[in-house]
């Protein structure tokens, strides 16, 4: 995987055009929280997301976009940009701190998940783990992942034309272990594994 980091004025269409946005599969938009108050920072992020959507529509290419929102109240406004997901940074950090303070063992889990040398989350083909010729339970998938020293935490269905009311792109995290599931060739598992 190649990661490119460029610092630029992301609310400027000319600057975004210079970045060749259609050449990327995924874009991560970080908020301006170091330099601005929450509302102006989120406003700039929203402008950036709208610009990115226009670029994607113009080229007819899907670009995966994840964005950082400073104020949780602005998340509904950001839905109009059709970004894939939003990270509300202050709320996320607050929730992690609250969990770690109530349960000392959570700090070790967060260290493992968030440390650069710890475990990572991968999207892997379901067919790497189980046969998809008949429906099976998520418990069966968990066992197959465990045999490989990994933890299955969810899945993503790639079915065309299925409604996704919550706009999660077919992603299901922490499904019921006894639910009977039918998978297709293109479906993927969300796996927690060592590097």
């Amino acid at each position: 995987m190649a990661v490119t980091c460029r610092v630029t004025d992301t609310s400027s269409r000319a600057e975004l055009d210079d970045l060749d946005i259609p050449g990327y599969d995924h874009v991560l938009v970080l908020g301006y929280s170091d330099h601005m108050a929450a509302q102006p920072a989120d406003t700039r992020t929203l402008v950036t997301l709208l610009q990115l959507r226009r670029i994607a529509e113009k080229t007819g290419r899907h670009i995966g976009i994840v964005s950082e929102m400073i104020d949780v109240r602005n998340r509904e406004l950001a839905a109009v940009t059709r970004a894939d997901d939003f990270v509300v940074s202050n709320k996320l950090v607050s929730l992690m701190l609250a969990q770690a303070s109530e349960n000392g063992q959570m700090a070790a889990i967060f260290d493992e998940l968030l440390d650069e040398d710890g475990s990572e989350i991968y999207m892997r083909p379901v067919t790497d783990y189980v046969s998809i010729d008949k429906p099976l339970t998520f418990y069966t998938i968990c066992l197959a992942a465990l045999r490989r020293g990994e933890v299955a935490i969810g899945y993503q269905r790639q079915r065309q034309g299925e409604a996704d009311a919550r706009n999660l792109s077919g992603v299901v995290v922490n499904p019921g272990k006894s639910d009977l599931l039918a998978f297709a060739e293109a479906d993927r598992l969300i796996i927690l594994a060592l590097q």
Side-chain angles (χ1 to χ4, degrees):
M1 176 187 302
V3 177
T4 304
C5 180
R6 295 254 318 253
V7 179
T8 188
D9 179 6
T10 60
S11 63
S12 165
R13 176 63 185 258
E15 295 279 340
L16 290 175
D17 285 337
D18 285 345
L19 293 177
D20 185 33
I21 298 298
Y24 294 98
D25 294 325
H26 303 283
V27 175
L28 175 63
V29 179
L30 299 177
Y32 286 80
S33 59
D34 293 343
H35 313 295
M36 298 179 171
Q39 293 306 318
D42 283 352
T43 299
R44 185 166 281 213
T45 298
L46 290 169
V47 169
T48 301
L49 292 172
L50 288 169
Q51 296 281 28
L52 290 171
R53 184 179 83 179
R54 292 185 72 200
I55 290 170
E57 287 174 352
K58 183 179 176 184
T59 61
R61 191 166 187 282
H62 174 75
I63 302 166
I65 302 171
V66 175
S67 172
E68 177 186 29
M69 300 301 291
I70 309 303
D71 190 332
V72 69
R73 296 172 294 185
N74 293 327
R75 185 168 182 196
E76 287 184 35
L77 286 173
V80 74
T81 66
R82 293 187 224 142
D84 293 322
D85 204 357
F86 303 96
V87 176
V88 183
S89 59
N90 292 342
K91 184 176 180 182
L92 185 64
V93 170
S94 297
L95 290 172
M96 287 176 55
L97 288 173
Q99 287 181 341
S101 68
E102 288 183 16
N103 183 346
Q105 295 172 343
M106 291 300 292
I109 293 171
F110 289 136
D111 283 346
E112 178 64 24
L113 290 174
L114 301 175
D115 185 82
E116 64 186 48
D117 294 325
S119 300
E120 294 185 351
I121 295 177
Y122 296 96
M123 300 286 284
R124 296 198 171 141
V126 69
T127 53
D128 287 0
Y129 294 81
V130 293
S131 173
I132 58 170
D133 57 345
K134 61 183 177 186
L136 60 148
T137 63
F138 195 72
Y139 179 80
T140 303
I141 292 170
C142 289
L143 286 177
L146 192 59
R147 283 189 215 107
R148 294 172 58 152
E150 301 170 346
V151 177
I153 60 174
Y155 59 86
Q156 179 184 34
R157 288 206 166 123
Q158 301 289 332
R159 303 194 197 287
Q160 298 295 327
E162 271 191 17
D164 187 356
R166 296 190 316 163
N167 193 25
L168 298 174
S169 302
V171 172
V172 176
V173 177
N174 197 24
K177 303 297 182 275
S178 61
D179 294 347
L180 205 55
L181 304 167
F183 289 101
E185 188 80 26
D187 293 342
R188 302 178 74 74
L189 294 179
I190 305 170
I191 299 294
L192 183 63
L194 294 175
Q195 297 185 45

